Structures are given as C-alpha cells and as structure tokens.
C-alpha cells in the first residue's frame, strides 16, 4: 500500500466515508454491460447453484440448479446461461472498423465495440474461470452429450477470465476491485472483497457512517453475501431443507414444482440485494470521467475480442488446459509489459496517482523559470533543434545528470537532465534539454516547448513502446523445456455420478 493510500484510509476512518484516490475513471464502462452474480454450492467443486444475469437493472434473469450434485442439471444450467451470454456477445459482431497497420500500408478490421462482463468480486472471476474450464472440453455427441452451446460458452468464459488477468483490461471486471481502485475505504483489504461493505463506505444510508453501514452490510440478515459463496447459516437452516424437499418430491409434478418455486424464491432473495448493489456501483463509477488513455486500452480488448471471435468462426480448438513453454513465456511477458504500461498510463492520466510517484522519487513538479526554445545543437553532422529549459522545484530530485524524463502534458517529448543545482532555500534548479515532439524543423511549433511560468510535471516513467523479447517457435521448444507441445486431446466426459470440477 502506498503512503497516499494509507493516508486516505486513515482519513476514511476519521471522516466515516470513503476517500477518492483518483480524479478520473481508469476503466472502460460499457453502455450495456452484462452483470452476472453467481452462487455456488458450499462443499462442492465450483458446482453452480444459481445465477442472476442481465444487461439492465430491470432485466434480471434467475437461473437455478435445484440439485447441484446432479450432472445433467448442472449442464442444463450451463445451456441456459449460454442462451443469455452468447446472444449478448453476438450483439457486438455487427459493425467493424478498419485499423491501419504497417504505417498505413495495410489495414485490418476489428469490431467497433466489445462485450463487457461484470461480477461482484474476484471470487466471481474465479468461478467463471473454473466454469469455463469445466465446460469448454465437453462433447456434444457420444456418451453423456451436452447441448451444443455449452462448449462454446466455456471457451468464451475462458477468454474473459484470461482477459481479466491482463492489467488495464475492462472485458471482465470485479466490481469491488473497480471501486477500490478509485476510492479507499476505512477497512482492510480483505474486507474490501465484500461488495455490500465497500458500498457501505462509498454511499452509506442517511444517518450512518461508513463503518456503521459496512458493519450492517456484513450481517447476512440485512444483506446476503455477494457470492459465489453463501452464508453457512443460510445453507444449514434454509437451503439444505429446500434442496432436500425438491429431491423428495421425486416424479410428482405438483410437489416438484412447489419445491422448485420455494427454492427459487430463497435464491432470488439471496441474489436480488447484490444485483441492486451491482448497478449502484456502476452508477458511482459513471460519475467519474474516463481517463485519456482508457480508450486505447479498450481498443486492445476489442482487438482480443475480434481475434477470438475469428478463431472460433474458423473452427479453431478450445484453449489448452496448460500452456506450453513458449506460450507460457509469451503470456508472462505480455502481462509484465501490460502491468508496466498500466501503471504509467494511470499516472499520466491522473495527478492523484502521479502524486504517489512524486512521493517515491520517480517524479517532481516545478515551475519553468528559463526557456530557450530556439536553441540548436550543431555539434553533429547536421544541426538539430534542442531547446533547453530550467525548472525550479521544492521537491526532491534524485534523478542523475543524463537521466531521461518525460512529461504527461507532452508524452512524445524527452527531457535529458543537464544540471541539477540544489539551492540554499530548499529549492532545486534543474536544467533540461528537450528532444522529440517538436517536428523536424529548426523552429519549435507554438506550445511544443514549455514556457516561462508554466508548471510542469516530470517523471522517469515512460509511456513509450516496450519491445518484446525473442522466443522460439512452439515447434522449436528445446527439450529442456518439455519439447514441442503435443496436441491436447479433450478429456473424457465424466460419468453422471462423478463430481464436476
């Protein structure tokens, strides 16, 4: 936890209300996200119990598995979920746009928008990841066949779960993480995983402090858990008897329907409060304007959605159970680069995030006191424009002479430290030589060079291109890393009595 977040957490405790730690929204929010609130049966390996799904506050659909230990009912639930999710995905596959590549010499096409899934907390993402793994290899023929939509649903859920691992991606979001990225509560990080408690701090009822609202939200009598876990007392006293009543009903249609209605009512009461909280949280996020670089990251999600849709349309196979050595290395590198870019872009978009880097010595803010925008360096083969500026700051400047700095206001421009002169009055004078972002001539365009009196931020964080590493082709994987990956065969379908995991 950074110093500023620790301070904001202390202020939240003192004021009784969550404190903002961002001035802009760092995540994309779709105009019509698909909200999914899952519930799993306790004591079973990711066995679905129920889900509430919909793309609007008044469009909630309840899916129920009356006997989660029954394999046929679990896959019937998957088929019902697929009947909601897959048409939602298809809504985004009507329009495409041309994207120039190879410096404009060619174009590729991608969808102009992409779907977005929202779940209450990170455990919901884990549920979808395991649910996708459990369904994407199922067979639609032979022994124990499933509906033809089930394997396709599994592949899409796996796609969204993998995108959730990508820093900065907005394809699949846990609402607790999205909210605590922009506000800090007065409770622990573990308590921040509970959506009702987080919203208690952000938007407490009249007459209650955030701490009081959070404590009330943690009482299952006032607000059931946000899933996929359920309250143990509810499991023992109400859920277990309802499932048992459904099982005892046997083949009696009237008794079975009555038992099902009772069970569905219990589960609806468990899910409805979280459903309402999900849309309240979305509304709070919409109050923040989107950051300048959010659209670029969402374009990456649209690229990934387009690529996976084309892979599915072309008859490509499901994602492997395990990555090969080369695929795992490429994934790790991609995640590391995305993590670095995510941190830098958030700082460039948001002065509150940049303040954390100022405290750590990676950035400083100062005032331009001298500027020579017409300076030309003619020491090389040809003269080049190299303006110099002097910045005076009261903040520490640990950057050495020769270090390259960047300004969020002019991200294409580099500033090389020429002199650092500490003053006796606590101020530090920094002389910088500028390059880039000023065209190719010997005269700087207006506004491209900071002017005297301008207050600027300079940081060692770079939003520039990060080159990738060199990896062998998968078929050239050395024997020290397992050799070339084989073709992953689908695992055999389990018998009906086997646990689903």
């Amino acid at each position: 936890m950074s110093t500023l977040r620790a301070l904001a957490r202390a202020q939240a405790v003192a004021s009784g209300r969550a404190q903002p730690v961002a001035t802009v929204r760092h995540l994309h929010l779709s105009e019509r996200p698909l909200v999914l609130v899952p519930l799993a049966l306790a004591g079973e390996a990711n066995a679905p119990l129920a889900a509430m799904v919909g793309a609007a506050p008044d469009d909630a659909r309840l899916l129920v598995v009356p006997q989660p230990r029954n394999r046929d009912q679990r896959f019937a639930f998957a088929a019902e979920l697929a009947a909601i999710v897959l048409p939602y995905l298809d809504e985004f596959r009507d329009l495409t746009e041309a994207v120039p590549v190879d410096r404009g010499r060619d174009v590729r096409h991608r969808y102009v928008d992409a779907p977005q899934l929202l779940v209450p907390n990170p455990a919901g993402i884990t549920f979808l990841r395991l649910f996708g793994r459990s369904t994407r290899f199922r067979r639609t023929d032979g022994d124990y066949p499933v509906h033809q939509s089930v394997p396709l649903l599994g592949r899409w859920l796996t796609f969204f779960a993998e995108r959730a691992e990508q820093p900065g991606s907005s394809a699949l979001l846990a609402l607790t993480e999205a909210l605590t990225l922009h506000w800090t509560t007065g409770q622990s990080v573990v308590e921040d995983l509970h959506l009702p408690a987080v919203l208690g701090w952000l938007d407490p009822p009249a007459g209650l402090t955030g701490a009081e609202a959070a404590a009330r939200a943690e009482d299952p009598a006032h607000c059931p858990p946000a899933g996929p876990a359920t309250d143990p007392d509810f499991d023992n006293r109400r859920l277990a008897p309802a499932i048992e009543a459904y099982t005892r009903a046997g083949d009696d249609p009237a008794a079975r329907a009555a038992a099902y209605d009772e069970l569905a009512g219990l589960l609806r009461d468990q899910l409805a409060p979280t459903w309402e909280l999900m849309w309240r949280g979305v509304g709070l996020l919409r109050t923040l304007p989107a950051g300048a670089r959010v659209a670029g990251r969402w374009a990456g999600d649209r690229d990934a959605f387009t690529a996976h849709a084309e892979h599915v349309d072309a008859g490509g196979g499901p994602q492997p159970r395990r990555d090969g050595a080369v695929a795992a290395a490429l994934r790790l590198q991609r995640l590391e680069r995305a993590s670095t870019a995510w941190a830098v872009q958030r700082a460039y978009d948001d002065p509150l995030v940049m303040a954390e880097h100022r405290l750590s010595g990676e950035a400083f803010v100062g005032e331009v006191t001298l500027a020579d925008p017409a300076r030309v360096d003619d020491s090389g083969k040809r003269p080049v424009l190299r303006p110099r500026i002097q910045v005076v700051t009261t903040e520490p400047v640990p950057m050495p002479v020769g270090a390259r700095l960047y300004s969020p206001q002019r991200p294409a421009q580099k500033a090389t430290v020429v002199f650092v002169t500490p003053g006796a009055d606590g101020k530090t004078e920094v002389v910088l030589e500028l390059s880039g972002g000023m065209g190719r001539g010997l005269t700087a365009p207006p506004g491209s060079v900071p002017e005297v009196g301008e207050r600027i931020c300079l940081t060692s964080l770079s939003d520039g291109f990060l080159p990738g590493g060199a990896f062998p082709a998968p078929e050239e994987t050395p024997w020290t890393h397992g050799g070339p990956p084989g073709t992953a065969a689908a695992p055999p379908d389990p018998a009906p009595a086997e646990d689903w995991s």
Side-chain angles (χ1 to χ4, degrees), residues 64-407:
V64 175
V65 185
Q67 179 45 267
R69 297 180 180 88
N70 183 291
R71 176 188 184 277
D72 292 337
Q73 292 187 22
R74 292 196 299 256
F75 282 115
F77 167 86
E80 287 186 83
L81 183 60
I84 299 173
V85 174
L86 297 182
Y88 171 76
L89 302 182
D90 289 339
E91 294 177 7
F92 298 87
R93 302 187 60 185
D94 293 334
L95 300 177
T96 61
E97 63 181 2
V99 181
V101 295
D102 195 17
R103 297 185 178 181
R105 290 189 286 267
D106 199 0
V107 297
R108 60 180 175 84
H109 292 83
R110 71 181 174 203
Y111 294 117
V112 298
D113 202 0
Q116 183 180 54
L117 270 59
L118 302 180
V119 294
N121 48 40
I125 295 178
T126 301
F127 177 90
L128 295 186
R129 177 177 59 82
L130 294 176
F131 196 64
R133 188 182 70 181
S134 301
T135 53
R136 72 176 184 266
F137 288 117
R138 297 305 95 187
R139 298 185 183 277
T140 58
D141 54 9
D143 295 334
Y144 319 118
V146 299
H147 192 273
Q148 60 183 3
S149 63
V150 171
L152 182 57
L153 172 70
R155 295 170 65 177
W156 276 110
L157 292 183
T158 301
F159 163 78
F160 281 104
E162 290 179 347
R163 289 302 299 173
E165 298 176 356
Q166 180 98 355
S169 171
S170 298
L172 171 58
L173 295 177
L175 192 58
T176 53
E177 292 184 336
L179 292 171
T180 54
L181 179 68
H182 301 87
W183 289 274
T184 294
T185 68
Q187 59 189 7
S188 70
V189 176
V190 175
E191 291 170 314
D192 280 344
L193 299 177
H194 187 49
L195 179 61
V198 171
L199 285 170
W201 281 96
L202 266 65
D203 189 19
L208 295 180
T209 66
E212 293 169 342
R216 182 178 180 181
E218 290 174 357
D219 183 357
H222 288 94
C223 189
T230 52
D231 176 56
D233 187 67
F234 167 79
D235 291 344
N236 296 328
R237 295 179 180 271
R238 306 185 67 187
L239 179 62
I243 293 178
E244 182 62 25
Y246 178 86
T247 304
R248 286 198 311 266
D251 296 331
D252 184 346
R256 202 174 182 86
Y260 179 88
D261 290 343
E262 180 183 357
L263 177 60
L266 287 176
L267 295 173
R268 182 181 295 276
D269 291 342
Q270 289 290 298
L271 291 168
T274 300
W275 176 263
E276 296 175 1
L277 291 176
M278 289 289 292
W279 292 105
R280 275 180 56 195
V282 170
L284 287 173
L285 288 172
R286 291 197 193 281
T287 61
L288 294 173
R293 290 164 179 79
V294 169
R297 293 192 294 273
W298 182 242
D301 284 324
R302 291 190 285 130
D303 285 333
F305 172 67
T306 303
H308 188 67
E310 292 175 348
H311 174 77
V312 171
D313 292 344
Q319 299 92 331
R321 285 171 289 176
R322 297 179 182 84
D323 286 332
V326 174
L330 286 170
R331 181 197 292 265
L332 178 61
Q333 183 195 62
R334 183 175 67 252
L335 295 178
E336 289 176 342
R337 294 170 65 189
S339 179
T340 301
W342 167 237
V344 174
Q345 290 175 11
R346 286 181 57 229
Y348 275 35
D349 282 352
D350 196 332
L352 268 182
V353 179
M354 182 62 80
E356 298 181 7
H357 297 282
R358 291 166 62 184
L359 287 176
S360 65
E362 297 174 289
F364 65 90
V365 172
E367 182 180 340
V368 179
T369 57
L370 296 173
D372 184 3
R375 179 179 177 273
V376 174
D377 183 359
D378 56 1
S379 60
K381 294 182 179 179
R382 61 182 182 86
V384 291
L385 182 65
R386 291 293 183 267
R388 285 190 175 183
I389 61 173
Q390 177 178 279
V391 177
V392 176
T393 179
T394 57
E395 301 176 17
V397 184
M399 296 80 171
V401 172
R404 284 194 171 183
L405 305 180
Y406 306 85
S407 173

